[in-house]
Amino acid sequence: MKIQTAFLFLCCSLHITPTIAAPDTWQSLTPTEQSALAPLRAQWDNLPEAQQKNLLPLARHYPDLSPEEKQRFQNRLATWAALTPEQRQAARNKYKAFNEIPLENREQIKEIVRKNQGKESR
């Protein structure tokens, strides 16, 4: 009986042991995914697996977007791809800080940022 219990435990533990998947290579992506993620082509194989996994559902949703939404998505990816690692981290920090602001104050913050951006472009 102890052997059967041990065997059952071993089988269960093997079944629930998480596997570590290798990040997807650019060539393993579908043509649709490649089209959506084109701005990241040069960097894709070096992106962390977690970032790839976050981007793939967006790429799969890409065909459902309107032409304007597709262009916006591509522009944002291109902008992100052009950032240095330090600039990306700064953007992540700003995003995190913004999300910690109470919802009722966020629109005020957005308006302040819009006004300041307008002054900088003059």
Side-chain angles (χ1 to χ4, degrees), residues 17-109:
T17 302
T19 58
I20 299 172
D24 293 319
T25 63
W26 182 258
Q27 283 69 31
S28 70
L29 301 179
T30 67
T32 300
E33 292 167 341
Q34 287 182 357
S35 174
L37 300 169
L40 297 173
R41 180 184 182 144
Q43 301 168 357
W44 182 259
D45 290 345
N46 296 318
L47 289 178
E49 180 182 359
Q51 192 170 0
Q52 288 183 356
K53 289 193 180 297
N54 288 337
L55 288 167
L56 285 173
L58 299 174
R60 292 181 187 122
H61 179 63
Y62 183 78
D64 302 329
L65 300 177
S66 70
E68 294 82 18
E69 292 169 324
K70 286 180 180 179
Q71 186 61 48
R72 184 175 176 205
F73 181 81
Q74 292 284 315
N75 290 344
R76 287 187 172 190
L77 275 183
T79 300
W80 184 259
L83 296 177
T84 66
E86 294 79 17
Q87 290 170 321
R88 289 179 187 182
Q89 189 57 50
R92 287 183 191 105
N93 293 343
K94 286 180 183 178
Y95 179 78
K96 182 179 177 185
F98 181 75
N99 283 326
E100 292 173 358
I101 295 171
L103 284 174
E104 58 272 7
N105 298 347
R106 289 185 190 176
E107 283 304 316
Q108 294 172 336
I109 300 296

